Amino acid sequence: ETGVTQTPRHLVMGMTNKKSLKCEQHLGHNAMYWYKQSAKKPLELMFVYSLEERVENNSVPSRFSPECPNSSHLFLHLHTLQPEDSALYLCASSQEAQSGANVLTFGAGSRLTVL
Amino acid sequence: GQNIDQPTEMTATEGAIVQINCTYQTSGFNGLFWYQQHAGEAPTFLSYNVLDGLEEKGRFSSFLSRSKGYSYLLLKELQMKDSASYLCAVMDSNYQLIWGAGTKLIIKP
């Protein structure tokens, strides 16, 4: 496979469940990102990893917990979520974390519904 | 605060030309990006402008005026497959991407 792959594509969970989103990139990129996309709102950056080190955490609630075990894989662990957390969660990667022409390659997203 | 403005929705006719505007107010500037996102799919990179002027790539062109804080994406010879959301994003002085809410483009036959 090439590009950025996200699983699952769809997830429905209750407020007390624990689940994880997975992202995998086969591009040899050094940086990986989690974004939240809600209808008619700008993309919200959640976390950035560069060479497996977290370099950005944009005041995200602790019910979202990222994990980057290696430069190809990124997880987002979810627990005790709220209905307002329902959204499309996009993973992306880029060659470097902070550079000018930093083109992001996105996955197709995981559509999360919290009941 | 930092802000990106683009129209929420636009409609155009197949075969025509459409211009999607993006205005921005950011702390510094390190380039402006346009991405295309079809419904249910990943956003994909279209263009990057860091200097003033027009960049052309086939049917798509992107323009930048840094002094006016303004960009547009021009789509020519519209096809039905161009129906998508178009996302404008600016990289600020800290290399953070500031995103617009996207413009949904509807193409009618």
Side-chain angles (χ1 to χ4, degrees):
Chain A
E1 282 198 54
T2 58
V4 178
T5 304
Q6 290 187 243
T7 54
R9 292 295 310 277
H10 300 272
L11 178 63
V12 179
M13 59 188 289
M15 292 168 62
T16 58
N17 291 158
K18 288 184 181 181
K19 296 286 185 184
S20 295
L21 307 181
K22 178 183 176 182
C23 176
E24 189 172 356
Q25 58 100 357
H26 305 274
L27 300 167
H29 287 168
N30 292 321
M32 296 188 76
Y33 310 75
W34 280 116
Y35 278 94
K36 177 182 179 182
Q37 186 175 37
S38 303
K40 300 184 180 180
K41 288 186 177 180
L43 288 178
E44 297 176 47
L45 179 64
M46 300 176 74
F47 302 104
V48 182
Y49 279 82
S50 176
L51 297 170
E52 302 148 50
E53 298 276 335
R54 191 191 304 180
V55 296
E56 189 82 31
N57 176 357
N58 277 5
S59 302
V60 178
S62 59
R63 56 186 184 268
F64 295 92
S65 174
E67 179 190 0
C68 187
N70 55 61
S71 60
S72 298
H73 294 85
L74 186 64
F75 294 88
L76 189 62
H77 304 299
L78 317 169
H79 62 99
T80 59
L81 294 191
Q82 306 297 311
E84 60 264 30
D85 296 323
S86 298
L88 182 67
Y89 289 85
L90 290 167
C91 175
S93 69
S94 67
Q95 192 61 51
E96 305 294 338
Q98 292 180 319
S99 64
N102 194 27
V103 176
L104 299 176
T105 302
F106 285 89
S110 294
R111 172 69 63 186
L112 173 66
T113 302
V114 181
L115 301 176
Chain B
Q2 307 201 87
N3 192 53
I4 308 283
D5 284 317
Q6 48 181 134
T8 302
E9 188 173 298
M10 299 181 71
T11 302
T13 304
E14 190 177 15
I17 299 172
V18 70
Q19 177 176 310
I20 302 174
N21 295 327
C22 171
T23 58
Y24 63 89
Q25 293 158 329
T26 57
S27 303
F29 180 84
N30 274 307
L32 185 143
F33 298 80
W34 284 96
Y35 284 81
Q36 179 191 58
Q37 185 178 22
H38 287 102
E41 296 184 15
T44 55
F45 170 75
L46 286 178
S47 67
Y48 170 71
N49 293 68
V50 67
L51 299 176
D52 290 351
L54 188 69
E55 296 271 348
E56 297 186 74
K57 269 189 196 179
R59 294 188 299 114
F60 290 15
S61 303
S62 56
F63 172 83
L64 174 67
S65 169
R66 287 172 296 171
S67 62
K68 295 182 179 178
Y70 168 69
S71 172
Y72 66 74
L73 183 68
L74 191 71
L75 290 73
K76 301 177 184 176
E77 301 168 16
L78 286 170
Q79 301 176 9
M80 297 304 293
K81 67 178 181 180
D82 297 329
S83 292
S85 288
Y86 292 85
L87 312 179
C88 175
V90 172
M91 184 165 284
D92 69 12
S93 56
N94 294 319
Y95 296 100
Q96 303 295 312
L97 268 179
I98 312 302
W99 293 86
T103 298
K104 182 178 180 180
L105 178 63
I106 299 168
I107 309 298
K108 295 187 175 178

